Amino acid sequence: MNTKRPHRHTYATLRELSERIFGRSPEGPALRRVKTVANDHYDDCDAQQIAVIETIREELAISETDGFPGGAALEEFRSEMRPELFIQAGAPIPWLEENRPAWASRRCDQDRHAEDDDVSDAAVMSWRSEPVSIPLARYYGRWRDDGHFESARLMLDLRQNVTSRDPRIAFERHGYKLVKGETRVVDGEDHYEISVDEAVRLARALLLLADVARGTADTIADRKPVTVVEEAS
């Protein structure tokens, strides 16, 4: 016996259900009629689901366009848009596939601004490279249950928003800290994002400081980086 209680449907959940099953959703008065059926009284979730799906099917059948000139072409266009209107879990996201940089790793793609966000758009999506990690000895790491020691680290990667022209270099600190005797994760503290030109200047400054600290003279830091324009000339 099914004891799962019926859902309280909204327009958004009905659109999602319809797009998942039929590839498109009724709108306007048709969707309002579906919502009325969806939120009627039902003994269980299965009975509600059957009634809702059948009503959606009927409403979509009413709006078929194949019976007049141009209807077939319009339906073909609808079919072209379906993959972008409802992107299946794990499917490629069109905005991230278009103009993908050679350095970008698909498994590192960011499809939302923050991990817990349930809304997104192209402006917050970004390509990212596989990160580079540098161990940090003077920040807390942690002994793991398997006996291994996990060091604190500085993580760096290339990243570029899909709406941006140029990539940036990002770096941040990861590791652990003690707060009132409790171990807490440090996940992305001291975060910076800089342009590639700024990264070159920073790298030169770091090498010069290292030369001063060690009493050496490394010509790598003394050389001015050649720009694309200078190289071409």
Side-chain angles (χ1 to χ4, degrees), residues 54-65:
E54 186 57 34
T55 304
I56 292 173
R57 192 192 310 276
E58 292 172 357
E59 293 293 348
L60 290 175
I62 291 170
S63 62
E64 283 297 337
T65 57

Side-chain angles (χ1 to χ4, degrees), residues 124-188:
V124 302
M125 296 181 184
S126 64
W127 299 292
R128 300 195 182 184
S129 68
E130 293 284 349
V132 176
S133 296
I134 301 171
L136 296 174
R138 297 188 64 84
Y139 290 88
Y140 282 126
R142 185 179 188 182
W143 289 103
R144 303 190 319 199
D145 293 340
D146 60 7
H148 289 78
F149 183 75
E150 182 181 6
S151 175
R153 58 205 177 277
L154 187 66
M155 293 186 67
L156 305 91
D157 64 66
L158 270 172
R159 59 184 61 181
Q160 180 179 345
N161 280 72
V162 298
T163 55
S164 299
R165 186 183 66 177
D166 299 314
R168 308 180 306 281
I169 293 176
F171 53 98
E172 58 192 24
R173 180 165 61 90
H174 290 253
Y176 302 90
K177 61 184 176 182
L178 287 176
V179 179
K180 297 181 179 179
E182 292 185 0
T183 302
R184 296 189 183 176
V185 175
V186 173
D187 186 9

